[in-house]
Amino acid sequence: MVLLTHLFGCTLQNSKSLVNITTTNLAFVRYASKRSSGSTRNSPTNLKPKHRGWKVQDGHYVQASTMLATQLRPRFHPGLYVGFGKNGTLYALEKGKVMVTCEKINPNMARSWAKLNYAGRENSVIYKKHFNIIPEPQHDRFVLIDTI
């Protein structure tokens, strides 16, 4: 840096400039050649919530095709008059009262989704919540055996 200052001062003397060599103080500034970008470490902060879980509580009355629960993994299972969507959504097939029960399941480990969700739990007892719909009004097609 000192060598460059001395060299620049010599060229100024040769050109007979009015600048004094002892008072010349040169500062070299390096500017950015590209714009700096922000950090992308925490960029996906504005994700929309999925609102998964129970949509209807136990004991409520629902219409047909009402969504009962949404889930990513099989946390809830369908029972009577309840459908199971491709994305794991449980929905009512009939209008009636919602009844949630806790039942034992025995998953078929030959299925790929059962291996994915219940791997390592083959010899254990698994309890899951089942959504059931009790239709209103119930049909009267039952006949007592004693009357036949």
Side-chain angles (χ1 to χ4, degrees), residues 4-26:
L4 287 174
T5 307
H6 182 59
L7 183 63
F8 187 70
C10 290
T11 56
L12 286 177
Q13 273 187 343
N14 291 342
S15 63
K16 297 185 180 178
S17 175
L18 297 175
V19 179
N20 189 2
I21 196 167
T22 58
T23 60
T24 304
N25 191 5
L26 295 177

Side-chain angles (χ1 to χ4, degrees), residues 27-47:
F28 293 99
V29 179
R30 182 176 172 202
Y31 293 101
S33 60
K34 296 179 183 175
R35 293 184 68 179
S36 64
S37 63
S39 174
T40 58
R41 185 172 180 155
N42 295 325
S43 63
T45 56
N46 55 354
L47 295 175

